[in-house]
Amino acid sequence: MGNLIKVGMADLKVGRSTDVLTTLGLGSCIGLTFYDPQTKIGGLVHYMLPDSTKIKNHSNIAKFADTGIRELLRQVLQSGAEQRRLVAKIAGGACMFEISANTALGNVGKSNAEAAKEILKELRIPLIAEDTGLNYGRTVELNCENGEYLIKAVGKFSKVI
């Protein structure tokens, strides 16, 4: 295993073949990855909210799906990946609060996952795997050597998607 690159909350990073990108504690947040299997360039964004246009202070573009996913794409392409080869995977989007799922707060995780799917469709990047929803947090690792996305959760078996 090469370099472990930590991606914080409302953060994004790009890695190459020997790198593993990781982010901790995805609750209602989404960890979205882009991966180019030919160049072995991968990227991971940990965003918290679906839509920057609904919030006054949206200076941190990695905090939102609409701006964070596009910025991650820009950086991955700038690093040498090709958009036509990219595949995406998502994890997170849990319902972490015991609130009616019909309220705005109770539904952030679902809204975050839906935002990812809409933006990926718009960008014409296939979503090839996801581990979203339910009511527990996840820690994820993207292995840039092979594109494997490892999902770990307390009390659950780890899985690769």
Side-chain angles (χ1 to χ4, degrees):
M1 190 154 109
N3 304 324
L4 191 62
I5 299 172
K6 291 197 164 110
V7 178
M9 188 182 262
D11 188 16
L12 57 87
K13 300 267 172 44
V14 175
R16 299 182 177 279
S17 62
T18 59
D19 297 328
V20 173
L21 299 166
T22 184
T23 193
L24 310 172
L26 289 171
S28 59
C29 298
I30 292 278
L32 177 140
T33 66
F34 285 136
Y35 185 69
D36 178 339
Q38 196 167 319
T39 57
K40 298 187 177 178
I41 291 171
L44 171 62
V45 60
H46 177 157
Y47 67 83
M48 300 165 66
L49 296 167
D51 187 356
S52 66
T53 63
K54 304 266 194 286
I55 309 283
K56 280 199 176 74
N57 177 10
H58 51 258
S59 55
N60 179 354
I61 55 177
K63 190 174 185 176
F64 306 96
D66 59 340
T67 50
I69 293 171
R70 287 182 178 87
E71 177 60 18
L72 182 66
L73 176 62
R74 191 186 70 74
Q75 290 190 23
V76 164
L77 297 178
Q78 197 173 26
S79 299
E82 284 213 23
Q83 187 159 344
R84 62 185 169 80
R85 288 195 303 256
L86 288 179
V87 291
K89 296 180 182 180
I90 60 173
C95 183
M96 298 301 288
F97 307 101
E98 289 297 323
I99 301 173
S100 163
N102 301 328
T103 65
L105 182 63
N107 222 352
V108 172
K110 188 169 186 241
S111 300
N112 276 339
E114 286 167 1
K117 291 172 188 174
E118 282 171 31
I119 294 163
L120 290 170
K121 195 177 289 181
E122 196 181 299
L123 298 172
R124 295 192 175 94
I125 297 172
L127 176 65
I128 60 167
E130 69 174 294
D131 183 48
T132 58
L134 302 173
N135 61 350
Y136 56 86
R138 296 161 173 91
T139 292
V140 296
E141 293 178 3
L142 173 66
N143 183 332
C144 292
E145 182 59 38
N146 55 21
E148 288 183 349
Y149 199 28
L150 176 67
I151 316 292
K152 297 189 274 193
V154 175
K156 311 260 183 252
F157 288 105
S158 294
K159 62 180 164 184
V160 172
I161 62 169

